[in-house]
Amino acid sequence: MNDIVTNVTMPDGFRLCVKLSEPDNPSDSARDAQGSIRPVVLFVQSSGPHTCDDERECDGRRFRCFDLFANELTRRGVAFCRYSTRGVYPGGEPPMFVTIDDNEYKTYLPGNTTDDIVRLTEWLRCRGYTRIALLGWSEGSVIAPLAVKRGARADRLLLAGYLGRNLRDILCWQLSGNSSSIFYRRFFDYDRKGYISESDFDEDRFKVRAALFGTKSFAELDINRDGRLDADDFKPETERHLSGMLAAIDRGDDDWLRKNHGVRLTSGWFREHFALGSNSELLCELAKARPLDLYIFSGGWDSMTPPSEAFELEARFRQLGLSLTHRHFENADHDLNLVEYFVKGTVPDGIAAIIDAAVQMNDIDTDERL
């Protein structure tokens, strides 16, 4: 694998740090032959600060998140391209290992990111890549279709952690107890009935109760006294945070967001996202206009976006006579269990499916589908 790290000038003049990992033997992909196929996956980032490597730490083990895609894709003849979020640079402090230039980070906005992706597809085409897949994750599942609408020449859309609705709706869903409920149910709802019973709680099969709840009893957590733990029990606390967030966004209070919200984001970023339309409607619009080579990858334990949204999009496409490929992994989270690769050394099923879909891009019968 050969890595190229460079700065690419964006439409507004910003110099975006980009990393491109290419196969060791590009001739294996007929790099220089006339009419050759040269595939590349361009990763469209999830929300918050990211670098080209996304260095993280888990159980004392330090790793780079993008190594999985770079290693597995280049091994199969597909290049992998990613970029650092505007204003974000490598740092030495866990858990994110980033430093942030506040003024530059304020330019990290959905509109700019969309333009950045369009520019990067042009840059990759100029480097000789004939087939481009946009791999959009979470926020990236919104940005990638917007980039296609804005003129990005891509051949396949691979969307994971899929957001079908506007981000404001998603945020309200998350902070109405739903994210907390799904997160805790993964450890206690052993038969996936949709809630945690007192017997589940007492069994504590994975020995995590003390770490997650301290000394709190089931009765203390069961706020509405209905004998089960679900979103309604976690809703009061999370809704207080939601109210504080929305108020801070309305008054442009980036300092409050930085100090109180887990992911570093600006009020400008939120407001611009809140003004966007439905992502599912955009995808239907794109698919009705021209063939859309679309893949959706979802996880049953996704606590960041409703897992049902991928199924709803699939049904909507079927109703309209349109096609997409939906791969659902019942035991996967929002990241499709990405961390397993660095802890266990095995590629999770959801990630393997994405890589397969990227490699199979060579089988499509036209050089430009979108």
Side-chain angles (χ1 to χ4, degrees):
M1 179 172 67
N2 301 310
D3 286 332
I4 299 167
V5 180
T6 187
N7 291 320
V8 180
T9 303
M10 295 296 108
D12 64 348
F14 189 88
R15 300 273 289 168
L16 193 70
C17 182
V18 177
K19 187 171 185 177
L20 175 65
S21 298
E22 298 184 310
D24 282 326
N25 300 303
S27 59
D28 291 346
S29 299
R31 176 175 184 166
D32 300 318
Q34 185 175 6
S36 66
I37 295 173
R38 285 191 68 207
V40 61
V41 171
L42 171 57
F43 191 89
V44 186
Q45 303 272 27
S46 59
S47 60
H50 297 275
T51 66
C52 291
D53 291 318
D54 258 6
E55 193 165 7
R56 298 290 185 267
E57 191 173 74
C58 181
D59 294 331
R61 183 178 305 182
R62 200 159 160 176
F63 57 89
R64 302 187 307 182
C65 292
F66 290 127
D67 282 356
L68 188 164
F69 292 105
N71 293 338
E72 297 299 320
L73 285 168
T74 57
R75 183 175 62 82
R76 297 176 65 178
V78 179
F80 180 64
C81 184
R82 62 281 198 195
Y83 54 91
S84 292
T85 310
R86 287 169 171 241
V88 178
Y89 302 92
E93 293 295 322
M96 301 296 287
F97 297 102
V98 298
T99 60
I100 297 176
D101 181 304
D102 288 337
N103 288 329
E104 291 181 352
Y105 195 63
K106 288 179 181 177
T107 72
Y108 161 48
L109 300 166
N112 283 339
T113 305
T114 301
D115 287 341
D116 294 346
I117 297 304
V118 176
R119 175 71 184 93
L120 287 178
T121 58
E122 295 168 350
W123 179 76
L124 288 166
R125 295 279 181 186
C126 289
R127 291 190 63 85
Y129 285 97
T130 59
R131 288 188 179 166
I132 299 173
L134 298 182
L135 172 52
W137 214 294
S138 198
E139 182 198 4
S141 72
V142 174
I143 299 298
L146 285 171
V148 170
K149 182 178 181 180
R150 206 168 287 186
R153 293 176 57 208
D155 301 277
R156 180 162 286 183
L157 278 181
L158 310 171
L159 306 182
Y162 169 70
L163 276 67
R165 287 177 279 170
N166 177 273
L167 184 66
R168 187 186 181 101
D169 295 330
I170 296 294
L171 188 65
C172 291
W173 175 86
Q174 290 174 349
L175 295 174
S176 294
N178 292 293
S179 287
S180 298
S181 176
I182 292 173
F183 175 79
Y184 294 130
R185 282 181 49 228
R186 190 175 188 185
F187 297 104
F188 292 96
D189 182 10
Y190 312 118
D191 53 0
R192 304 188 82 129
K193 56 191 168 295
Y195 61 89
I196 301 169
S197 68
E198 188 167 6
S199 61
D200 294 332
F201 189 79
D202 289 340
E203 180 180 347
D204 190 17
R205 185 176 298 179
F206 301 108
K207 310 303 178 189
V208 295
R209 190 175 72 190
L212 295 177
F213 299 113
T215 60
K216 286 186 177 180
S217 66
F218 183 88
E220 289 176 289
L221 295 167
D222 184 16
I223 294 175
N224 60 7
R225 303 292 186 264
D226 64 353
R228 59 176 65 184
L229 299 182
D230 55 21
D232 288 341
D233 296 297
F234 303 111
K235 185 176 182 178
E237 182 177 350
T238 57
E239 279 198 330
R240 283 194 292 273
H241 181 67
L242 175 62
S243 296
M245 278 191 69
L246 294 177
I249 292 165
D250 286 343
R251 66 177 182 267
D253 192 344
D254 289 352
D255 190 53
W256 188 98
L257 292 170
R258 180 176 58 82
K259 292 177 179 177
N260 294 280
H261 190 56
V263 180
R264 177 78 176 272
L265 296 163
T266 65
S267 57
W269 181 90
F270 279 108
R271 285 196 297 268
E272 199 167 301
H273 259 294
F274 290 174
L276 295 175
S278 159
N279 192 26
S280 62
E281 290 299 325
L282 172 59
L283 286 167
C284 291
E285 173 190 327
L286 292 173
K288 285 188 287 188
R290 57 193 183 279
L292 187 67
D293 196 13
L294 174 63
Y295 285 67
I296 304 287
F297 304 88
S298 61
W301 289 124
D302 190 336
S303 61
M304 300 306 295
T305 185
S308 60
E309 298 216 332
F311 289 97
E312 290 168 4
L313 180 68
E314 184 179 19
R316 181 72 187 282
F317 264 56
R318 190 182 304 116
Q319 182 184 41
L320 294 172
L322 305 170
S323 64
L324 64 79
T325 300
H326 176 206
R327 298 292 309 280
H328 181 71
F329 301 89
E330 193 63 24
N331 292 315
D333 58 16
H334 188 65
D335 296 326
L336 297 178
N337 300 341
L338 173 74
V339 173
E340 284 185 6
Y341 177 79
F342 302 99
V343 174
K344 300 179 180 179
T346 56
V347 179
D349 291 343
I351 305 295
I354 291 175
I355 292 167
D356 285 344
V359 172
Q360 292 160 7
M361 181 168 53
N362 292 341
D363 298 334
I364 62 178
D365 57 8
T366 59
D367 283 344
E368 186 183 344
R369 290 293 302 272
L370 306 184

